[in-house]
Amino acid sequence: MTQFESIHGTEDPALRRIVLALRRALPLLLVFTSLSAAAGYLLVSGSTEMYSSESVIELTDQVAIGVTSTGQRRGDAVVEIEAQRRLIESSSFAESLASRLGAEAGDVAISVTNPEDSPVLVIGIEADEPELAERGADEFVDLYVEQRIQNEFDRLEDELVPLRSQREEQSALVDSLVDDLQDLRLTGNQDEISVLENRVASALDRLDDYNVAIQEREFFQQTIEGNVRVVEPASPAVKSSSSSVVRAVQFGLIALLLGIGATVLVSRIRGRVLLLDEVRAIAGPDVPVLATVPKFGRRFRKGRASLVVASRAARREAEAFRYVRSALEVAAGGVVPRSIVFTSARPNEGKTVTAANLALASARGGQDTALLDGDILNSSVERVFELKGMHSAFPSLIDEVVDPADHDWHTVGIADTKLSVLATQAYRQPGVRTELTYETALRVFNRLKKTWDIVVVDAPPVLAVSDALSLARAGDLTVLVVKLGATRRRDVETAVTQLRQGDVNLAGVVVTHVRQSDDAYYGGGYNYGGMV
């Protein structure tokens, strides 16, 4: 299997569409990626080299290391670790570290990462000097441990204040109960003394509880370690990954990914047909793709140069139109159609060039052929045949409609081939619009068939002008021209629907602007050496 087949032979049309869109946008993507990489290189090369050092700490308090019975992190543990990460990256912590480092701290940046499902924090310190980065990592650990110790001390102190107050109240209550018990022993009975003795014992137990709680917290204050363990001290400083070459690669990769995403998104939004399979799927099984016309080279795109059938230098392009002629005869059941109407969904899809080249191919094949410009509002035939200087001498289709009298046609000579051309004058009278009806178009076609073997009609776009349906319905065969990479999928579907509803004999679709790398087209790879 060739590389071409490996790409286009896939059964997934969506993937083929993406691959084709990316391949078409490849030059632009490469330029965008190169410019972004150059910008990243220049941005970093003009800045100061940075060095980084890392230290690793582990939170050891019960909340941070909390694990459920299933081995998953508890929600409160995740919240605690995230809170510590935010604290480290806060401006207040940076200011505290800056005061320790002195005037050099302005060039220091702090970052923190947390490996998943662990209470470990990896602290990165970046500075413009390696010594400053290492010292910053060391100072960070000391500062963080001190703050954790101070925070824990303050937390315990906050708990001790009410406990000490409650102990004093309880101690006073015990003293009062003891005094009452001594007095009661002199005057009271045994039952009263027993009740008061129980109250004294309970008060003493509560006082012991307060003493134990206070002693525990005072002990924790004296032995506190900040609930943090230093796993790895400051590592030797190394150059940051923001070197010129690395950053240029990073910028280039980001630009490439963004470009790929934008290309795919734009391709979906614009909704234009990129593949022949898309045309076939949209048109349906009853409307075949008759032929494909390759994208013209730059020198064959304007004026008479686009009449490639008469050019020896455009053998590949010319053969495509000869194939169109043969395909139309097959579509007509082997009978040469007398009137062939070419239309498209929207303007600028190649119908005029297709119609003109087919007419010229028929004339070169020995058939007496006429090309009728049916686009009253926007004539393109005159531009193809470069008839501007003689335009006023030509009758228009409007004249054929208003006055059915005979008119003189212009005979164009191209490469020893004579072709009769009726170019329509642009209809620019404001407020006046002569509607072309089916009966009028049919009358014109029947009269023209008496003089010429084949009448090729360049009709207006079917979605733009109502005349297109009248001309298409009156013709023996109608061909819809679709420009690959330009015509919208929805427009193709709407045009086919309107032509079918208009009782038009739609022979099929001719796809223009096909590149050899886009998809298989007629003549691809054929050797034209020696062809005249």
Side-chain angles (χ1 to χ4, degrees), residues 26-27 46 62 68 84-85 113 122 293 317 333 354 357 369 515:
L26 183 59
Q62 294 301 312
T68 65
Q84 293 302 314
R85 188 185 68 80
T113 56
V122 180
V293 178
E317 293 84 352
T354 303
N357 276 283
T369 307
R515 306 182 190 186

Side-chain angles (χ1 to χ4, degrees), residues 184-457:
L184 189 60
R185 290 183 186 277
L186 298 176
T187 60
N189 56 42
Q190 187 61 39
D191 292 338
E192 293 175 337
I193 293 173
S194 297
V195 171
L196 190 56
E197 286 178 343
N198 291 334
R199 291 185 60 192
V200 170
S202 177
L204 287 173
D205 291 340
R206 177 66 62 83
L207 181 61
D208 289 339
D209 291 339
Y210 283 130
N211 287 327
V212 171
I214 291 172
Q215 289 172 2
E216 287 180 346
R217 284 159 177 78
E218 288 177 342
F219 175 77
F220 289 151
Q221 281 184 324
Q222 295 173 1
T223 60
I224 192 170
E225 295 181 354
N227 290 327
V228 60
R229 181 172 67 91
V230 180
V231 178
E232 293 181 9
S235 64
V238 296
K239 284 187 179 181
S240 301
S241 60
S242 57
S243 65
S244 300
V245 176
V246 174
R247 185 56 59 89
V249 173
Q250 292 174 342
F251 271 54
L253 288 176
I254 293 174
L256 181 60
L257 293 176
L258 291 176
I260 291 174
T263 299
V264 175
L265 180 62
V266 169
S267 173
R268 294 292 300 175
I269 293 176
R270 292 172 68 186
R272 299 181 178 180
V273 290
L274 300 179
L275 300 167
L276 291 180
D277 284 346
E278 290 183 286
V279 179
R280 296 186 182 101
I282 296 170
D286 297 334
V287 184
V289 174
L290 299 174
T292 58
V293 178
K295 180 181 178 181
F296 285 8
R298 189 178 300 275
R299 58 177 174 164
F300 301 122
R301 295 179 186 174
K302 292 184 178 180
R304 287 203 176 195
S306 63
L307 300 173
V308 294
V309 170
S311 174
R312 290 177 175 269
R315 292 170 178 156
R316 180 172 62 94
E317 293 84 352
E319 189 63 25
F321 294 104
R322 297 187 184 98
Y323 190 78
V324 172
R325 183 184 62 182
S326 300
L328 288 175
E329 292 180 5
V330 173
V335 179
V336 178
R338 299 294 307 281
S339 57
I340 307 170
V341 179
F342 284 87
T343 185
S344 61
R346 299 289 182 185
N348 303 317
E349 295 184 0
K351 65 176 178 59
T352 301
V353 172
T354 303
N357 276 283
L358 176 69
L360 190 58
S362 297
R364 289 174 65 85
Q367 294 165 317
D368 199 359
T369 307
L371 174 63
L372 173 63
D373 186 358
D375 198 340
I376 297 175
L377 300 180
N378 184 25
S379 174
S380 298
V381 171
E382 61 172 347
R383 292 195 295 270
V384 171
F385 287 90
E386 299 176 357
L387 303 175
K388 292 182 179 179
M390 299 169 284
H391 185 71
S392 59
F394 295 108
S396 66
L397 188 58
I398 285 289
D399 299 326
E400 292 283 354
V401 172
V402 176
D403 181 8
D406 292 334
H407 294 277
D408 294 330
W409 287 54
H410 183 72
T411 301
V412 178
I414 300 176
D416 300 328
T417 301
K418 301 300 181 181
L419 175 66
S420 298
V421 178
L422 176 61
T424 300
Q425 292 176 326
Y427 195 69
R428 299 187 179 91
Q429 289 181 268
V432 180
R433 170 77 165 91
T434 302
E435 195 78 18
L436 181 62
T437 64
Y438 162 71
E439 291 77 12
T440 302
L442 184 61
R443 186 173 66 250
V444 171
F445 285 0
N446 289 335
R447 188 172 66 251
L448 296 179
K449 289 178 185 178
K450 296 177 181 178
T451 306
W452 288 277
D453 297 331
I454 297 178
V455 178
V456 179
V457 185

